[in-house]
Amino acid sequence: SLPLDEGHPSAHVVLSALEKAEQLAIEKGYAIVTGRPYPETLKALQHWATGRNQSVEIVPLWALPDSEIGISAQGDTIFSGAE
């Protein structure tokens, strides 16, 4: 799991974490991210959403088989890299 906003960072730092998660999803097939509804996090998500790689799909964690990610899904959101 990749925390987007641990320590309440700036929107720029959160955006960098989103871009890292996006690349990880492309490389591994998925990336799990966590975040809180801080204003900086929401601002970064809005900015990222307008220019994100469209081959990366945003899906709920439960959409991946437990065997693929090795954890039990509860309802968090993941990035899934398209094949």
Side-chain angles (χ1 to χ4, degrees):
S1 174
L2 178 66
L4 294 178
D5 52 10
E6 191 171 329
H8 204 130
S10 69
H12 178 74
V13 171
V14 175
L15 183 58
S16 292
L18 284 165
E19 291 167 351
K20 181 178 178 181
E22 187 176 65
Q23 187 60 40
L24 187 62
I26 292 167
E27 293 170 7
K28 288 183 63 178
Y30 69 92
I32 301 170
V33 299
T34 59
R36 293 176 175 79
Y38 296 137
E40 297 84 3
T41 305
L42 298 176
K43 181 178 178 181
L45 281 166
Q46 288 174 331
H47 180 78
W48 173 79
T50 62
R52 71 180 181 84
N53 185 325
Q54 295 298 308
S55 72
V56 174
E57 183 179 0
I58 302 170
V59 299
L61 184 58
W62 55 262
L64 288 182
D66 292 348
S67 61
E68 184 173 332
I69 57 176
I71 63 172
S72 178
Q74 294 295 322
D76 295 326
T77 299
I78 63 158
F79 296 149
S80 177
E83 296 293 326

